[in-house]
Amino acid sequence: MCGIVGILGREPVAPALIDALKRLEYRGYDSAGVATLENGRLTRLRASGKLRNLQDKLKETPLSGHIGLGHTRWATHGRPNENNAHPHANDRVAVVHNGIIENFRELREELTAKGHVFATETDSEAVAHLVAEEMRQGSKPREAVAAALGRLKGAFALVFLFDGELDLLIGARRGSPLAVGWGDDGVYLGSDALALAPFAKEIAYLEEDDWVTLTREKTTFFDAAGRIVERARRPLQAGSLMVDKGNYRHYMAKEIHEQPEVVGRTLAHYLDLASGTARLPFDLAFDAKALSRVTISACGTAFYAGLVARYWLERFARLSVEIDIASEFRYREAPLPEGGLMIVVSQSGETADTLAALRYAKAHGQHVLSIVNVETSTIARESDTVAQTLAGPEIGVASTKAFTCQLAVFACLALALGRARGVLTEEREKELVAELIATPGLMAQVLKDEARIEPVARDVARASSVLYLGRGPSYPLALEGALKLKELSYIHAEGYAAGELKHGPIALIDFAMPVIVLAPHDASLEKTVSNLQEVAARGGHLILIGPESARVAASAELAGFIEMPEVAAGAFAALVYAVPAQLLAYHVAVFMGKDVDQPRNLAKSVTVE
Ligand code: F6R
């Protein structure tokens, strides 16, 4: 994941930029760069590989500017080489970027037609040219950035440095975090508090869609509409930095909000964003064409990620999938096909039942691929192939960002297997990759409107039992939504396949029990809406999570409606719909005064049977 730092100092900033970048090394990177103003002119130094390569260059060509940017790049679009390293620059502006610019191809075409020459394969460079184009047409830096931000799609954090502007840095965030720091020697911007720790005494986080202008004397925050806003400054507590809660009340809230960034990062690891295809960072050590079946096993939320993946693996890779919870699978004595593929899923990588399922599969000649968040865990160590979810540390006991990152890995795997098996055309793969790439931006959009979930949460908090309904990949999501609600608020909840309702649970329907319907605009929408109407006809207490078209189609009285984007990632809508399900459970629990980060009786890592 890329790291960003910007400094407006009183001394030459290059040493402090390197210091900050070192503190961001833990995020992983493959190239690095800095830019400063030397005699007022933009000057850059970049190097592939480790930071010491950049430091060597700085020894040869010392930079003396008192204002600058630094970046560690974790390649998404384009190879990890010096040319693609940030900052990206032209004669007007230099920019560092974390995240994905979804519409970079259109922007690149448009700006190339206007005479801009692109020097890299990255999506980020389009931002530099977009701002330069605005300035060429007469805009000042602030106006140029404001106009450019309005044209960008995706999830990102950006920091800009301008030629000739010795007292101005501009930062912006949508989906990826960015913080401002104030210290004795200057003002700072950083992708996390850790980068700013040695310099800053106080810190403030940008909120979604904020942008900020920094001069040595004045910091001004703006919201998306360009209105000046205040953002709380608080002391930077050095000790607790790695697991800092940021601006959030709970780790869980922070982790829910990190999803656009970490899902983007995970997708970038498993997709070739430039060509729009799946690209696994490991070889498939088995003959994908000869594979007859995939077995998946996991526990809890990780199991539900596997259940969602079953739809994708069957549909896109034409593989039949056997899936079971690990505590059952390990004792079932299931016959497994010779040379088969076993996928285990685990955030912690230490779950005892999942580990036992892995060992059973290994003993029965399976190739074991694990989708894990903790790279050094026992499950990772004992697997033949490890597909890491790049969610970063998950502190909240209830799993959120690990779940969506598991989904992201599974989606890419399904596409890669589909291609390897010759059942997915290149064209279809590209369409599906485009849907996947849109998910971080859509998640950010949903997170931005978080306040509208609160009244629904207040309503749900009064219930003693709740039903979640969904079809297709939204069915496992209904199970996950119910699990989140149960574990956080201790309200009884169940997830059901919407079509199964009439085979029993419909008897439960009354106005006291909220029925939460997950209805993305996908192939099952019409059928889900019919099931919703069955509930409405019996006087049910309906809450719809879906697009406006679902609300119109339902034409039923709703006790609550969480409106979702009309087009939400097609086949991969589960990634986007996980967010309102998590937020709802979170707000119910907060409203009820429960211990959100450490619910009673639960442990983060379950190493016993
Ligand atoms: C629910 C939750 C648990 C875990 C389960 C498996 O929010 O966190 O259901 O998903 O205990 O844990 P891991 O993924 O570490 O194997």
Side-chain angles (χ1 to χ4, degrees), residues 326-350:
S327 54
E328 286 301 313
F329 178 82
R330 64 184 290 188
Y331 294 117
R332 264 176 45 203
E333 300 181 24
L336 297 171
E338 193 56 42
L341 174 64
M342 169 79 174
I343 304 178
V344 293
V345 194
S346 175
Q347 187 285 129
S348 62
E350 303 295 347

Side-chain angles (χ1 to χ4, degrees), residues 299-302 345-349 351 397-399 483-484 487 604 606:
C299 301
T301 291
V345 194
S346 175
Q347 187 285 129
S348 62
T351 303
V397 165
S399 191
L483 175 62
K484 286 280 102 67
E487 61 183 338
K604 185 69 185 157
V606 186

Side-chain angles (χ1 to χ4, degrees), residues 100-415:
I100 295 175
I101 306 295
E102 265 171 52
N103 56 337
F104 80 101
R105 280 199 197 83
E106 292 124 76
L107 293 172
R108 200 176 165 115
E109 270 170 33
E110 175 189 321
L111 292 158
T112 305
K114 288 183 175 154
H116 293 263
V117 179
F118 280 75
T120 76
E121 301 163 311
T122 66
D123 55 337
S124 321
E125 193 186 0
V127 183
H129 290 300
L130 191 59
V131 171
E133 177 59 26
E134 294 290 337
M135 292 178 73
R136 215 156 275 173
Q137 294 186 18
S139 295
K140 296 267 181 278
R142 289 172 180 79
E143 297 153 17
V145 168
L149 290 175
R151 302 232 22 226
L152 298 179
K153 282 196 188 147
F156 48 78
L158 295 160
V159 180
F160 300 92
L161 169 71
F162 301 88
D163 193 72
E165 295 281 351
L166 289 158
D167 194 24
L168 179 66
L169 284 178
I170 301 185
R173 81 154 272 179
R174 188 183 300 162
S176 280
L178 193 66
V180 179
W182 293 269
D184 292 337
D185 300 321
V187 274
Y188 305 84
L189 280 160
S191 42
D192 64 32
L194 204 65
L196 309 182
F199 323 110
K201 288 184 168 162
E202 281 187 311
I203 192 165
Y205 288 87
L206 273 73
E207 289 186 8
E208 192 56 7
D209 271 333
D210 276 359
W211 55 287
V212 63
T213 59
L214 264 63
T215 66
R216 287 181 182 79
E217 296 308 319
K218 195 164 186 241
T219 304
T220 314
F221 292 91
F222 299 88
D223 66 9
R227 285 181 296 249
I228 293 180
V229 283
E230 292 297 321
R231 297 295 174 229
R233 277 163 85 139
R234 59 189 183 96
L236 184 59
Q237 265 136 24
S240 58
L241 277 173
M242 271 310 271
V243 288
D244 183 45
K245 279 191 214 153
N247 256 2
Y248 299 98
R249 256 176 89 184
H250 302 99
Y251 287 112
M252 185 183 174
K254 176 173 176 250
E255 287 159 6
I256 290 174
H257 280 264
E258 276 171 3
Q259 291 179 110
E261 184 182 23
V262 295
V263 166
R265 176 187 179 195
T266 302
L267 288 174
H269 197 54
Y270 293 93
L271 297 174
D272 181 345
L273 295 174
S275 68
T277 53
R279 178 205 50 190
L280 300 181
F282 46 77
D283 290 331
L284 291 178
F286 48 85
D287 180 359
K289 279 205 170 109
L291 216 56
S292 58
R293 200 178 81 185
V294 174
T295 310
I296 302 177
S297 196
C299 301
T301 291
F303 171 68
Y304 296 145
L307 273 182
V308 174
R310 177 166 67 179
Y311 291 86
W312 297 337
L313 287 161
E314 289 179 347
R315 195 162 154 203
F316 304 131
R318 306 301 303 142
L319 275 164
S320 75
V321 177
E322 144 89 8
I323 174 162
D324 202 355
I325 43 179
S327 54
E328 286 301 313
F329 178 82
R330 64 184 290 188
Y331 294 117
R332 264 176 45 203
E333 300 181 24
L336 297 171
E338 193 56 42
L341 174 64
M342 169 79 174
I343 304 178
V344 293
V345 194
S346 175
Q347 187 285 129
S348 62
E350 303 295 347
T351 303
D353 286 322
T354 311
L355 184 59
L358 175 159
R359 288 179 178 156
Y360 177 89
K362 264 195 130 170
H364 289 80
Q366 304 299 290
H367 178 93
V368 176
L369 186 154
S370 61
I371 299 179
V372 286
N373 199 36
V374 182
E375 207 184 358
T376 49
S377 60
T378 314
I379 288 179
R381 287 200 309 274
E382 293 197 17
S383 303
D384 298 306
T385 306
V386 179
Q388 204 194 345
T389 46
L390 303 173
E394 192 178 65
I395 311 292
V397 165
S399 191
T400 52
K401 62 175 180 170
F403 174 68
T404 44
C405 286
Q406 286 157 358
L407 293 181
V409 174
F410 263 128
C412 300
L413 187 66
L415 300 187

Side-chain angles (χ1 to χ4, degrees), residues 18-41:
I18 295 291
D19 192 359
L21 292 181
K22 278 191 185 150
R23 302 174 70 83
L24 290 168
E25 276 189 301
Y26 78 95
R27 295 160 79 101
Y29 69 106
D30 42 51
S31 60
V34 292
T36 57
L37 293 185
E38 301 295 307
N39 299 318
R41 298 278 81 87

Side-chain angles (χ1 to χ4, degrees), residues 374-567:
V374 182
E375 207 184 358
T376 49
S377 60
T378 314
I379 288 179
R381 287 200 309 274
E382 293 197 17
S383 303
D384 298 306
T385 306
V386 179
Q388 204 194 345
T389 46
L390 303 173
E394 192 178 65
I395 311 292
V397 165
S399 191
T400 52
K401 62 175 180 170
F403 174 68
T404 44
C405 286
Q406 286 157 358
L407 293 181
V409 174
F410 263 128
C412 300
L413 187 66
L415 300 187
L417 285 172
R419 196 180 55 219
R421 288 168 57 74
V423 295
L424 192 65
T425 63
E426 202 181 317
E427 202 188 343
R428 182 77 182 118
E429 183 182 357
K430 284 196 169 154
E431 279 168 19
L432 291 166
V433 167
E435 286 180 353
L436 267 179
I437 293 176
T439 55
L442 289 162
M443 286 175 148
Q445 209 175 313
V446 174
L447 284 164
K448 212 176 129 199
D449 286 342
E450 182 172 356
R452 73 218 157 103
I453 304 220
E454 282 170 29
V456 183
R458 279 170 196 268
D459 178 31
V460 172
R462 283 193 287 267
S464 55
S465 190
V466 178
L467 207 56
Y468 283 74
L469 300 179
R471 271 179 183 263
S474 299
Y475 160 45
L477 205 56
L479 297 169
E480 169 61 4
L483 175 62
K484 286 280 102 67
L485 189 71
K486 276 186 273 219
E487 61 183 338
L488 293 171
S489 66
Y490 322 141
I491 295 175
H492 169 253
E494 277 190 80
Y496 254 94
E500 186 67 8
L501 188 71
K502 52 190 161 301
H503 299 289
I506 201 162
L508 294 168
I509 303 296
D510 63 13
F511 201 73
M513 182 182 68
V515 178
I516 300 173
V517 184
L518 295 152
H521 201 151
D522 61 13
S524 338
L525 178 61
E526 221 175 289
K527 299 238 174 324
T528 310
V529 165
S530 317
N531 299 132
L532 182 154
Q533 284 161 339
E534 290 161 9
V535 178
R538 286 155 184 87
H541 187 119
L542 273 166
I543 294 168
L544 173 64
I545 304 181
E548 173 62 13
S549 62
R551 194 188 64 79
V552 172
S555 74
E557 196 177 322
L558 300 176
F561 175 44
I562 299 175
E563 188 179 348
M564 295 292 285
E566 193 61 47
V567 181

